[in-house]
Amino acid sequence: MDVVKAAQLSGRTLDRVVVHPLVLLSIVDHYNRVARDTRKRVVGVLLGTSSRGTVDVTNSYAVPFEEDDKDPRIWFLDHNYHESMFSMFKRINAKEHVVGWYSTGPKLKENDLDVHALFNKYDMILRLDHMSCSTL
């Protein structure tokens, strides 16, 4: 579950979102490596912490993503890569969790709702998996 939805369900509001410079540089680098001078867009995960109405976005990683140019309803996001990367990042900093995702481009696309739903689903599974591993 993403931070915004969790805050809404708990009745708390988000007062502030702080995006650290390293995250912005990482997103720009991802775009320049993969989609510069094309119509492609890139997608990735935002990691960080949240407390007392503030979300701190401290890290990010790129996720392989492809869209069909002719039919935007057809897209691919590498689930296995996302799970592996999240697992590695949890080993480095156990306090960080998925606080959102990013995509580049001039506007939102219709399939962004599907991508968002997918990230919500996987984030809940990854959190449950991490909780069960940490109790062993």
Side-chain angles (χ1 to χ4, degrees), residues 23-33 104:
V23 174
L24 297 174
L25 288 171
S26 177
I27 294 168
V28 170
D29 177 62
H30 182 200
Y31 175 79
N32 283 332
R33 283 184 291 108
T104 59

Side-chain angles (χ1 to χ4, degrees), residues 48-62:
T49 58
S50 57
S51 67
R52 297 186 206 118
T54 299
V55 176
D56 246 341
V57 183
T58 54
N59 218 332
S60 66
Y61 58 87

Side-chain angles (χ1 to χ4, degrees), residues 7-8 10-16 52-54:
Q8 290 170 346
S10 67
R12 288 182 259 153
T13 60
L14 291 176
D15 299 322
R16 203 168 76 150
R52 297 186 206 118
T54 299

Side-chain angles (χ1 to χ4, degrees), residues 16-133:
R16 203 168 76 150
V17 176
V18 178
V19 181
H20 292 242
L22 180 62
V23 174
L24 297 174
L25 288 171
S26 177
I27 294 168
V28 170
D29 177 62
H30 182 200
Y31 175 79
N32 283 332
R33 283 184 291 108
V34 176
R36 186 177 186 181
D37 299 327
T38 69
R39 295 186 58 145
K40 284 180 66 171
R41 65 182 179 146
V42 297
V43 171
V45 175
L46 301 172
L47 300 170
T49 58
S50 57
S51 67
R52 297 186 206 118
T54 299
V55 176
D56 246 341
V57 183
T58 54
N59 218 332
S60 66
Y61 58 87
V63 177
F65 178 80
E66 293 290 329
E67 287 178 299
D68 188 335
D69 293 333
K70 296 175 184 157
D71 187 356
R73 294 173 297 169
I74 300 172
W75 53 275
F76 167 78
L77 187 131
D78 194 335
H79 308 254
N80 293 329
Y81 183 85
H82 170 48
E83 292 173 18
S84 297
M85 288 297 288
F86 182 71
S87 176
M88 286 189 280
F89 273 91
K90 285 303 273 182
R91 290 180 187 157
I92 295 167
N93 189 348
K95 292 181 182 180
E96 284 183 341
H97 57 273
V98 176
V99 294
W101 61 282
Y102 68 85
S103 74
T104 59
K107 61 182 179 177
L108 294 174
K109 294 193 175 186
E110 187 175 326
N111 65 6
D112 285 345
L113 291 173
D114 296 331
V115 173
H116 185 73
L118 181 79
F119 274 112
N120 277 340
K121 175 184 156 192
Y122 270 90
D123 294 339
M124 288 173 58
I125 291 169
L126 292 172
R127 282 186 192 205
L128 289 174
D129 184 46
H130 177 71
M131 287 174 19
S132 64
C133 289

